[in-house]
Structures are given as C-alpha cells and as structure tokens.
Amino acid sequence: MRIVFPLYPGFTSLDVIGPYEVLSRLPEAEAVFAAVRPGPVTGEGGVTVTATHALADLTEADIIVVPGGPGTREAVSDAAYVAWLKAIDATTTWTTSVCGGSLLLGAAGLLTGLEATSHWTAADLLPVFGATFTLQRVVFQGKVVTAAGVSSGIDMALALFARIEGDDAAQTVQLHIEYDPQPPFDHGSPAKATPDQIQRVRKLVMG
Amino acid sequence: MRIVFPLYPGFTSLDVIGPYEVLSRLPEAEAVFAAVRPGPVTGEGGVTVTATHALADLTEADIIVVPGGPGTREAVSDAAYVAWLKAIDATTTWTTSVCGGSLLLGAAGLLTGLEATSHWTAADLLPVFGATFTLQRVVFQGKVVTAAGVSSGIDMALALFARIEGDDAAQTVQLHIEYDPQPPFDHGSPAKATPDQIQRVRKLVMG
C-alpha cells in the first residue's frame, strides 16, 4: 500500500501531515514523500520536510495526497509536477487532495465534470478546471477525494481509511491519534466566521 | 516571538505540525525546529523534518512545544535534551507539550505539583514525575500548557493563540486553517471508543 505525498516548495505542512498521521497507519503502508527534485522541501512558514524520492522515479501509487499552500500558484505551472499527477492517477486506487491541492488535480485534468472542494477562498478557481465547487468538508467522487482547507485532511483521511479498512479500524486510528476535537471557538468555516475575519483571511491568502 | 519545536528521533509529526500551523501565524513569529544534533530528524512512520538549529545554540525562547511519539522513551533518558528543556523553561513565556511530550516536561522537573495531560495511554506515567493526570484535552497551569494525544495540539495552540493575541485573532487563524472539524466517527477518546479499540491502541503504544 504505497501512499505518495507529492511535495513542492510552499506546501502547507498540515495538509500533508494530517492525512499522513492517519494513512501511514494503514496495514503495510509505505508512506513516501516525493518532489520533482528530491531532498529538503520547504513549506509555508519555513518548515522543511525531506522528499526521499523524485516524482519521476515513482510510476505507481495506491494513494496520492496532493497538498495545497502558498506554493500552489507556482506548482500549477510546473509541467513536471502536473504531468506526474496525470500519469500517476492512471495507477492509483485513490487520488486525493487537501486545500488548494484540488487546483493541482484540476490542472492535471482530473476534476473535469466532478464536484470538488478546496480551501473556501479558492471556490472561484475550481470551475476554471471544469469542476463544480461544493462547500463540503470532504467530497468523494468515485476514486477522487477532495478535502476543504488545511485541517480537513484529517477528516478526509479517516473517511478514506474507513472505506479501505472498515469503520472499526478507522475508529481505532481516531482513538490512537486522540482525534476528539474540542476547538476553543466555532469560527472554522466562512458560514461561522465574522465578515471581517473572512475579509482578513481572504487578503492573506489571495494577497 | 520565537517558538521552538525541539525534535528527537521518533517524534510524532502531527504533535509538531498541528501547533506549528497555528502558532507560526502569530505576529512576527519565528518558528524554529531544533534537535540535540541539527539536521534531518526522522519521526514516527518515516517522515523527516529538518532541525535547522542545535538545541545548545538556543538559549532563549518565547514558546516551546514539546512533542510526543514512540521516541519519547529514549528522549526521556537523553540528558542533553532534558537538560535543555529545564534550562530553556527559565526563559519562556509559555512551556507547552503535546501527547507524550508532557513526560519530557516531567522528566525535566517542570510538572511537579501540577495537573497535566498526555496521551491517555500515558495516564499512569505522569505521577512518576509528581504531576496529576487529568483527562482533559488542554490543561493550563500558569505558563505550563499540556495537551492530550496527537491531534489535540491544534486545540491547544488555538487556545494559546487566543491568550496571546485575543479571541478574534485566534478565530481568524481557525478560519484560515478551516478548522471546522467533522470527524466521520466519534471514537476519539477512551470514553467514546469500544473496550476492544482501547485494548488495541494500548498494545500498539505500550508494545
């Protein structure tokens, strides 16, 4: 069970590590961090994760998890990255994304005619790739699974784990990572935040 | 505002990246990944994060976030790591931990007489360090803040962000990382899981 996390400079680390913490606990999981050029890859805020493999050396995967982040804008124009997504998708059982990672799936032509989600600030961009944005936290469309912003990858990965290994096994992982969320506030979606908070995040993300 | 994440081999990556994703958004935050020996540090499951600094070179921090993980057992006996925790705590505004990271704070003598939390499987170990285990997700005791297992670091960091910058700013970060958790199951704590699930996780963690 090979799970590939294709990194690029400026990826958001929780987009990757949330699903990693869940999916790396699949039976016989082989979690692989990869990038166009292997080596250290620096994400949003400066955190650096090692890509042990070059994407070009990976020709098969059971699952891919494509992250978003401020670097998405450049990655979307990286022909090697996008072409790899398109090619690897022909081999996957599950093709997934978190946050703006869905824009990369879109750029690879993998969302045409599908419903999909993304970070809420990217709602307008998904139709560019022939997808319909839906403000859900996790969207299953056949083998393509998209998750909303950043932290939603944990929910996506648990739902995916359950599809693969059953509810009981997924619940056991949930207990293992003690995922019993108790956020101190209830402002985690645009439906729940103030207009001013929405404006501030939009400015931060869109520049 | 220097936030230090002291890594060690076998740390659990979500313990680190959950709080990082929140706290690195503090105004003028400088998030620093460090270890006894700088360079790549491999965490649970194989993920590798770069420690850009040697702990010995860091003599001041505003916040530290100590992770847990399978490597905690060895880290607890690493005199250089534990002595650094004790020394840096004299300079911090906030000394925090996620999951089994509280055992490392305990080993450094920083939990004596305090209530604290940890991964639920570690409940029996905290009293060894003079702390009282409490099955809460986040425990504030003066400047010492401990969080429960793995994913709880996100809740801890949001609560801490609010103490530092106020509720509105913390809510804006919550919206930014779209932390509107919708886990597919409600088995994330021992109070909610089945006895068999509890037994399985205990075996995995305790060996």
Side-chain angles (χ1 to χ4, degrees), chain B residues 93-120:
Chain B
T93 309
W94 298 99
T95 290
T96 81
S97 68
V98 180
C99 201
S102 57
L103 303 175
L104 293 163
L105 294 185
L110 303 175
L111 296 184
T112 314
L114 300 185
E115 293 201 351
T117 191
S118 192
H119 195 274
W120 54 272

Short mmCIF file of all heavy atoms in Angstrom, two decimals, chain B residues 93-120:
data_model
loop_
_atom_site.label_atom_id
_atom_site.label_comp_id
_atom_site.label_asym_id
_atom_site.label_seq_id
_atom_site.Cartn_x
_atom_site.Cartn_y
_atom_site.Cartn_z
N THR B 93 7.92 32.26 27.99
CA THR B 93 6.64 32.80 28.46
C THR B 93 5.62 31.66 28.57
O THR B 93 4.76 31.65 29.43
CB THR B 93 6.13 33.86 27.47
OG1 THR B 93 7.18 34.80 27.23
CG2 THR B 93 4.92 34.59 28.03
N TRP B 94 5.76 30.69 27.62
CA TRP B 94 4.87 29.52 27.62
C TRP B 94 5.69 28.26 27.37
O TRP B 94 6.45 28.21 26.40
CB TRP B 94 3.80 29.65 26.51
CG TRP B 94 2.89 30.82 26.67
CD1 TRP B 94 2.98 32.02 26.04
CD2 TRP B 94 1.74 30.91 27.53
NE1 TRP B 94 1.96 32.86 26.43
CE2 TRP B 94 1.19 32.20 27.35
CE3 TRP B 94 1.12 30.04 28.42
CZ2 TRP B 94 0.05 32.63 28.03
CZ3 TRP B 94 -0.01 30.47 29.10
CH2 TRP B 94 -0.54 31.75 28.91
N THR B 95 5.50 27.28 28.22
CA THR B 95 6.15 25.98 28.05
C THR B 95 5.04 24.96 27.81
O THR B 95 4.19 24.76 28.68
CB THR B 95 6.95 25.62 29.33
OG1 THR B 95 8.08 26.48 29.41
CG2 THR B 95 7.42 24.18 29.29
N THR B 96 5.02 24.38 26.60
CA THR B 96 3.88 23.55 26.23
C THR B 96 4.33 22.17 25.73
O THR B 96 5.47 21.98 25.32
CB THR B 96 3.01 24.21 25.14
OG1 THR B 96 3.61 23.99 23.85
CG2 THR B 96 2.85 25.71 25.36
N SER B 97 3.37 21.24 25.76
CA SER B 97 3.64 19.90 25.24
C SER B 97 2.39 19.34 24.59
O SER B 97 1.27 19.79 24.87
CB SER B 97 4.09 18.96 26.36
OG SER B 97 3.02 18.73 27.26
N VAL B 98 2.60 18.38 23.72
CA VAL B 98 1.50 17.64 23.09
C VAL B 98 1.78 16.15 23.34
O VAL B 98 2.93 15.72 23.25
CB VAL B 98 1.44 17.91 21.57
CG1 VAL B 98 0.28 17.14 20.93
CG2 VAL B 98 1.29 19.40 21.30
N CYS B 99 0.73 15.42 23.65
CA CYS B 99 0.83 13.95 23.74
C CYS B 99 1.90 13.59 24.79
O CYS B 99 2.00 14.25 25.83
CB CYS B 99 1.14 13.42 22.35
SG CYS B 99 0.74 11.68 22.07
N GLY B 100 2.70 12.58 24.53
CA GLY B 100 3.72 12.14 25.48
C GLY B 100 4.81 13.16 25.73
O GLY B 100 5.69 12.93 26.56
N GLY B 101 4.76 14.29 25.05
CA GLY B 101 5.71 15.37 25.33
C GLY B 101 5.65 15.83 26.79
O GLY B 101 6.65 16.30 27.34
N SER B 102 4.50 15.64 27.43
CA SER B 102 4.39 16.03 28.84
C SER B 102 5.31 15.18 29.72
O SER B 102 5.76 15.64 30.77
CB SER B 102 2.94 15.96 29.32
OG SER B 102 2.41 14.67 29.13
N LEU B 103 5.59 13.95 29.28
CA LEU B 103 6.52 13.12 30.06
C LEU B 103 7.92 13.72 30.03
O LEU B 103 8.68 13.61 31.00
CB LEU B 103 6.53 11.69 29.52
CG LEU B 103 5.16 10.99 29.49
CD1 LEU B 103 5.26 9.63 28.83
CD2 LEU B 103 4.60 10.88 30.91
N LEU B 104 8.25 14.36 28.91
CA LEU B 104 9.56 15.00 28.81
C LEU B 104 9.61 16.24 29.68
O LEU B 104 10.62 16.49 30.36
CB LEU B 104 9.86 15.32 27.34
CG LEU B 104 10.06 14.06 26.49
CD1 LEU B 104 9.94 14.36 25.01
CD2 LEU B 104 11.41 13.44 26.80
N LEU B 105 8.52 17.02 29.71
CA LEU B 105 8.46 18.14 30.66
C LEU B 105 8.59 17.60 32.08
O LEU B 105 9.29 18.20 32.92
CB LEU B 105 7.13 18.90 30.52
CG LEU B 105 6.87 19.65 29.21
CD1 LEU B 105 5.57 20.44 29.32
CD2 LEU B 105 8.03 20.59 28.88
N GLY B 106 7.93 16.49 32.34
CA GLY B 106 8.01 15.87 33.67
C GLY B 106 9.43 15.47 34.01
O GLY B 106 9.91 15.74 35.12
N ALA B 107 10.11 14.86 33.07
CA ALA B 107 11.48 14.40 33.31
C ALA B 107 12.40 15.59 33.58
O ALA B 107 13.41 15.46 34.29
CB ALA B 107 11.99 13.61 32.11
N ALA B 108 12.04 16.75 33.04
CA ALA B 108 12.83 17.96 33.28
C ALA B 108 12.44 18.65 34.60
O ALA B 108 12.95 19.72 34.92
CB ALA B 108 12.67 18.93 32.11
N GLY B 109 11.51 18.03 35.32
CA GLY B 109 11.11 18.59 36.62
C GLY B 109 10.16 19.76 36.52
O GLY B 109 10.00 20.52 37.48
N LEU B 110 9.50 19.88 35.37
CA LEU B 110 8.67 21.08 35.15
C LEU B 110 7.19 20.88 35.47
O LEU B 110 6.40 21.80 35.33
CB LEU B 110 8.84 21.56 33.69
CG LEU B 110 10.28 21.85 33.28
CD1 LEU B 110 10.37 22.19 31.79
CD2 LEU B 110 10.87 22.98 34.12
N LEU B 111 6.83 19.67 35.90
CA LEU B 111 5.42 19.40 36.18
C LEU B 111 5.15 19.10 37.65
O LEU B 111 4.01 18.75 38.01
CB LEU B 111 4.92 18.22 35.32
CG LEU B 111 4.91 18.41 33.80
CD1 LEU B 111 4.30 17.18 33.12
CD2 LEU B 111 4.14 19.66 33.40
N THR B 112 6.14 19.25 38.48
CA THR B 112 5.99 18.89 39.90
C THR B 112 4.84 19.67 40.55
O THR B 112 4.82 20.89 40.50
CB THR B 112 7.29 19.17 40.68
OG1 THR B 112 8.39 18.66 39.91
CG2 THR B 112 7.27 18.51 42.04
N GLY B 113 3.89 18.92 41.07
CA GLY B 113 2.76 19.54 41.77
C GLY B 113 1.69 20.10 40.86
O GLY B 113 0.73 20.69 41.33
N LEU B 114 1.83 19.88 39.54
CA LEU B 114 0.85 20.43 38.59
C LEU B 114 -0.12 19.37 38.10
O LEU B 114 0.19 18.17 38.09
CB LEU B 114 1.58 21.04 37.38
CG LEU B 114 2.55 22.18 37.63
CD1 LEU B 114 3.07 22.72 36.29
CD2 LEU B 114 1.89 23.30 38.43
N GLU B 115 -1.28 19.82 37.67
CA GLU B 115 -2.15 18.97 36.86
C GLU B 115 -1.64 19.02 35.43
O GLU B 115 -1.17 20.05 34.96
CB GLU B 115 -3.59 19.47 36.89
CG GLU B 115 -4.23 19.34 38.27
CD GLU B 115 -5.75 19.33 38.20
OE1 GLU B 115 -6.31 19.59 37.12
OE2 GLU B 115 -6.36 19.05 39.24
N ALA B 116 -1.74 17.88 34.75
CA ALA B 116 -1.25 17.83 33.37
C ALA B 116 -1.99 16.75 32.62
O ALA B 116 -2.62 15.87 33.21
CB ALA B 116 0.25 17.56 33.34
N THR B 117 -1.90 16.82 31.29
CA THR B 117 -2.47 15.75 30.49
C THR B 117 -1.40 15.21 29.54
O THR B 117 -0.24 15.67 29.55
CB THR B 117 -3.75 16.17 29.75
OG1 THR B 117 -4.37 15.01 29.20
CG2 THR B 117 -3.47 17.20 28.66
N SER B 118 -1.78 14.21 28.77
CA SER B 118 -0.86 13.48 27.91
C SER B 118 -1.72 12.57 27.04
O SER B 118 -2.95 12.62 27.13
CB SER B 118 0.07 12.63 28.80
OG SER B 118 1.17 12.13 28.04
N HIS B 119 -1.10 11.78 26.19
CA HIS B 119 -1.88 10.72 25.54
C HIS B 119 -2.50 9.87 26.64
O HIS B 119 -1.86 9.59 27.65
CB HIS B 119 -0.96 9.86 24.66
CG HIS B 119 -1.70 8.99 23.69
ND1 HIS B 119 -2.18 7.74 24.02
CD2 HIS B 119 -2.08 9.19 22.41
CE1 HIS B 119 -2.79 7.21 22.97
NE2 HIS B 119 -2.75 8.07 21.98
N TRP B 120 -3.76 9.45 26.46
CA TRP B 120 -4.47 8.74 27.52
C TRP B 120 -3.74 7.46 27.95
O TRP B 120 -3.90 7.01 29.10
CB TRP B 120 -5.92 8.43 27.12
CG TRP B 120 -6.06 7.70 25.81
CD1 TRP B 120 -6.15 8.26 24.56
CD2 TRP B 120 -6.09 6.29 25.60
NE1 TRP B 120 -6.24 7.29 23.59
CE2 TRP B 120 -6.22 6.06 24.20
CE3 TRP B 120 -6.05 5.19 26.45
CZ2 TRP B 120 -6.29 4.79 23.64
CZ3 TRP B 120 -6.12 3.91 25.89
CH2 TRP B 120 -6.23 3.72 24.50
#
